Amino acid sequence: MNNILKLAGLCGLSGLLFTGCSTIHEHYQKLSHHNHKEHVAVYAVSAQGVGEKIGTVTLEDTPRGLQLSTDLKKIPAGPHGFHIHEFASCESTAKNGQVGPALAAGSHLNTNHAEHHGTPLSGHLGDLPYLTANQAGYVKETSIAPRLKLADVKGHAIVVHAGGDNYSDTPSPLGGGGGRLACGVIK
């Protein structure tokens, strides 16, 4: 009888130990997943193709949304449209008979089927806060895309446009960002 009680006690203790370890492991997985960062290499792009590396964008999930930390150089001074695009490519391709930089990235990511380009709160899911390069051509900014998570943007491209972004389709389509000058693929 005494051995049966010892065995039952040992089994109960083992069960608690394994349950505790399992709970600790699950908690650790949640924490490590939450802190996962993706460093995206960003390259200058032209009609001739992908050029030199000009920096990185670090993507990280936060409770407020996807945090984007830019560290870019050789960007013309002033504001620039900044978007997640449909496809994981920065290659040049033809559109309407003309070859353009990073056109293989496709359009803005629009899995929410928004009718128009807009703010990071109202437009396409790929609409991000615009970037501003300083007079020396550097962009070191951190912004939040509140409707996105890292899992939403994997397998897409991140693009910096030549012009600014007024978050409207008027007077110019897609905020007036114009051509693409830098691109990176989010793996």
Side-chain angles (χ1 to χ4, degrees):
M1 182 72 165
N2 197 16
N3 284 341
I4 292 175
L5 288 175
K6 286 180 184 177
L7 183 59
L10 184 59
C11 287
L13 184 59
S14 296
L16 284 174
L17 180 62
F18 286 123
T19 301
C21 288
S22 175
T23 302
I24 290 169
H25 178 70
E26 288 171 15
H27 181 71
Y28 175 75
Q29 281 184 320
K30 286 179 185 176
L31 285 176
S32 63
H33 177 70
H34 173 74
N35 291 330
H36 180 72
K37 291 181 182 181
E38 180 77 29
H39 302 283
V40 180
V42 176
Y43 299 87
V45 293
S46 69
Q48 288 72 42
V50 178
E52 71 175 307
K53 181 179 175 184
I54 60 168
T56 58
V57 175
T58 301
L59 308 172
E60 180 178 15
D61 284 325
T62 73
R64 297 180 305 142
L66 183 65
Q67 179 175 289
L68 302 106
S69 300
T70 58
D71 187 1
L72 305 173
K73 62 183 179 182
K74 297 185 178 182
I75 303 289
H80 297 276
F82 188 44
H83 308 101
I84 303 294
H85 282 250
E86 297 175 286
F87 306 117
S89 177
C90 293
E91 297 299 323
S92 299
T93 192
K95 181 177 179 180
N96 300 326
Q98 293 200 351
V99 175
L103 288 180
S107 298
H108 296 176
L109 180 66
N110 190 20
T111 53
N112 61 324
H113 306 291
E115 286 187 42
H116 302 288
H117 172 68
T119 72
L121 294 173
S122 67
H124 307 138
L125 281 180
D127 293 339
L128 303 174
Y130 69 85
L131 301 175
T132 303
N134 67 21
Q135 290 301 316
Y138 290 98
V139 180
K140 290 189 180 220
E141 297 179 353
T142 298
S143 60
I144 297 288
R147 300 180 297 162
L148 290 174
K149 293 183 228 159
L150 186 54
D152 300 327
V153 300
K154 284 185 177 263
H156 297 282
I158 193 161
V159 174
V160 179
H161 289 266
D165 191 342
N166 69 0
Y167 302 120
S168 173
D169 283 326
T170 58
S172 298
L174 302 173
R180 301 162 188 200
L181 61 87
C183 181
V185 172
I186 306 164
K187 296 178 181 174

